[in-house]
Amino acid sequence: MENVRYEILPEIAKLGHVALETTDLEKSLWFFEEVVGLEKTETVDGVHYLRAWGDFDHHTLSIKEGPEARVDHIAWKAKRREDIGNFANLLREADVEVEEVKAGTEAGQGDAIRFQLPSGHNFEIYFDMEKPAAADPKHKSILKNQPYKAWRKGISPRRIDHVNIGTNTDASVITDFLQEKLGFKMREYLKTPDGNLGAGWLSVTNLVHDIAVMGRPDIKSSHEIHHLSYWSDNAQDILRAADILADQGIPFVGPGKHGISQAMYIYVVDPGSGVRLELFSNGYLIFEPDWEPIEWKADEMAAGFTFWGEQSGMKPEDLTTISAGEPLKSPKKV
């Protein structure tokens, strides 16, 4: 992949996919395909590529078996093809090690780059991605603007929504990197009693957050993921999800409504990998170009995290994470 000098700052368009490794592939596939209801695009070299019924790209989640449960990388789609080389230049100028990933390395995907946040979280940026029709014509929607029939199986969320990552180091180092190097905008944030950043909700779209960053000294490493999220159309979909999970005997947290984002939620853990999934709906959108980030203080977070409903994050099991990266390849960049 040829490096090009950027003339304008490159931009990220949206969250693309999460690449999950699980220690129990059978359980993870059962959970995400049958219970959650994601559709399988294809399986290549032991990697299962999935997407929701309203996701057009080849995949928004990939799952393969591995020796430990972890997220190999979190991927983002750039706005333009030339942004891939431009991001590579920008990151290298900031002394970030960049790996070029050739087209076809990941099924359905074109050239990409991979790199680490200062925390060790693994990120990928791509532009080209196949948009295949439903593999089984019987699963195809008659609507030309929708790849699959909705509600064919399981909870049936419409699309991928966001990720929530955690670190046991200074969260502001991550949020500064996201804003200064990748173009994210801070939408809401938590300030701790000592004046530091406790958490930040950032986006490149009109969503309140495409990514959330949590600073938690109690978690295992500097590069963890708390959850990935899929979005459903309305509150009734979340209540329907609760029925489906309860009928399968799968424990969950919620339903509830966040103050931050104003969205309804259910949290449930994949029994194969231990990664947490947030089922998400409603919330508000941001269209103002001069949006001022909203500050929350620690004593306001009872309403910030849970405006009403079952409180999230109140029990130790609600706070578990799995790795979403690795130690920095170039420790001098810490």
Side-chain angles (χ1 to χ4, degrees):
M1 182 164 43
E2 181 181 354
N3 287 338
V4 293
R5 179 69 189 179
Y6 53 89
E7 296 179 357
I8 60 173
L9 288 177
E11 297 178 272
I12 290 174
K14 64 170 188 171
L15 174 63
H17 58 267
V18 174
L20 176 65
E21 294 184 11
T22 177
T23 55
D24 193 325
L25 183 61
E26 183 178 358
K27 280 185 179 178
S28 289
L29 291 177
W30 169 77
F31 175 74
F32 281 106
E33 290 189 76
E34 303 306 319
V35 179
V36 179
L38 300 186
E39 300 282 358
K40 182 176 288 185
T41 308
E42 62 177 331
T43 302
V44 180
D45 297 329
V47 182
H48 299 256
Y49 294 95
L50 311 176
R51 56 182 174 169
W53 59 262
D55 285 324
F56 289 92
D57 278 354
H58 180 274
H59 59 281
T60 52
L61 178 68
S62 66
I63 307 177
K64 70 176 182 179
E65 195 154 33
E68 64 173 321
R70 62 188 293 270
V71 165
D72 180 73
H73 63 271
I74 298 166
W76 304 86
K77 183 165 185 171
K79 282 195 173 180
R80 299 167 289 268
R81 186 174 292 110
E82 59 267 28
D83 285 344
I84 306 305
N86 291 344
F87 268 122
N89 284 337
L90 186 152
L91 291 165
R92 285 173 176 142
E93 288 174 1
D95 293 326
V96 176
E97 187 173 338
V98 176
E99 174 190 358
E100 296 182 355
V101 181
K102 296 298 183 184
T105 302
E106 194 167 344
Q109 183 173 286
D111 289 342
I113 58 171
R114 291 184 188 172
F115 57 95
Q116 292 180 299
L117 301 188
S119 54
H121 289 89
N122 293 331
F123 270 22
E124 176 178 83
I125 299 177
Y126 68 93
F127 176 78
D128 290 299
M129 177 71 78
E130 294 176 7
K131 293 177 172 58
D136 187 336
K138 293 182 295 185
H139 300 164
K140 182 179 179 181
S141 174
I142 64 171
L143 297 173
K144 291 185 175 182
N145 54 10
Q146 182 175 307
Y148 296 91
K149 294 177 180 177
W151 311 111
R152 195 179 71 81
K153 58 177 179 174
I155 293 166
S156 197
R158 177 184 285 267
R159 59 167 174 79
I160 196 169
D161 191 85
H162 68 266
V163 290
N164 180 305
I165 64 175
T167 185
N168 60 12
T169 59
D170 185 355
S172 67
V173 174
I174 301 177
T175 59
D176 287 350
F177 185 95
L178 292 173
Q179 292 175 91
E180 295 166 7
K181 302 296 186 289
L182 302 181
F184 283 81
K185 296 178 181 178
M186 184 72 77
R187 303 304 197 176
E188 304 195 42
Y189 66 96
L190 165 63
K191 182 172 282 189
T192 63
D194 58 6
N196 293 322
L197 181 77
W201 288 260
L202 307 94
S203 69
V204 289
T205 66
N206 299 116
L207 300 179
V208 177
H209 65 311
D210 298 299
I211 187 169
V213 180
M214 303 290 162
R216 286 180 35 210
D218 59 302
I219 63 176
K220 294 176 288 187
S221 78
S222 63
H223 42 264
E224 301 288 307
I225 183 169
H226 182 267
H227 66 263
L228 68 147
S229 175
Y230 276 81
W231 191 83
S232 293
D233 286 347
N234 55 54
Q236 183 59 44
D237 297 339
I238 301 301
L239 298 180
R240 178 177 176 274
D243 279 349
I244 291 171
L245 293 170
D247 206 30
Q248 291 287 352
I250 301 174
F252 56 89
V253 174
K257 179 177 179 177
H258 292 305
I260 294 171
S261 82
Q262 300 183 24
M264 281 193 66
Y265 64 81
I266 280 177
Y267 292 101
V268 58
V269 173
D270 164 29
S273 68
V275 73
R276 185 177 290 95
L277 172 69
E278 183 179 24
L279 302 165
F280 200 74
S281 186
N282 295 346
Y284 70 94
L285 300 174
I286 297 172
F287 296 100
E288 290 75 10
D290 55 349
W291 179 265
E292 292 293 332
I294 296 172
E295 178 183 309
W296 293 77
K297 293 183 170 60
D299 61 3
E300 301 172 320
M301 288 310 291
F305 283 136
T306 303
F307 182 46
W308 57 257
E310 183 178 0
Q311 290 283 334
S312 61
M314 298 301 289
K315 297 175 286 189
E317 56 266 33
D318 297 341
L319 302 175
T320 56
T321 59
I322 65 171
S323 176
E326 55 198 315
L328 286 171
K329 297 173 183 176
S330 302
K332 65 181 180 180
K333 296 195 289 291
V334 174

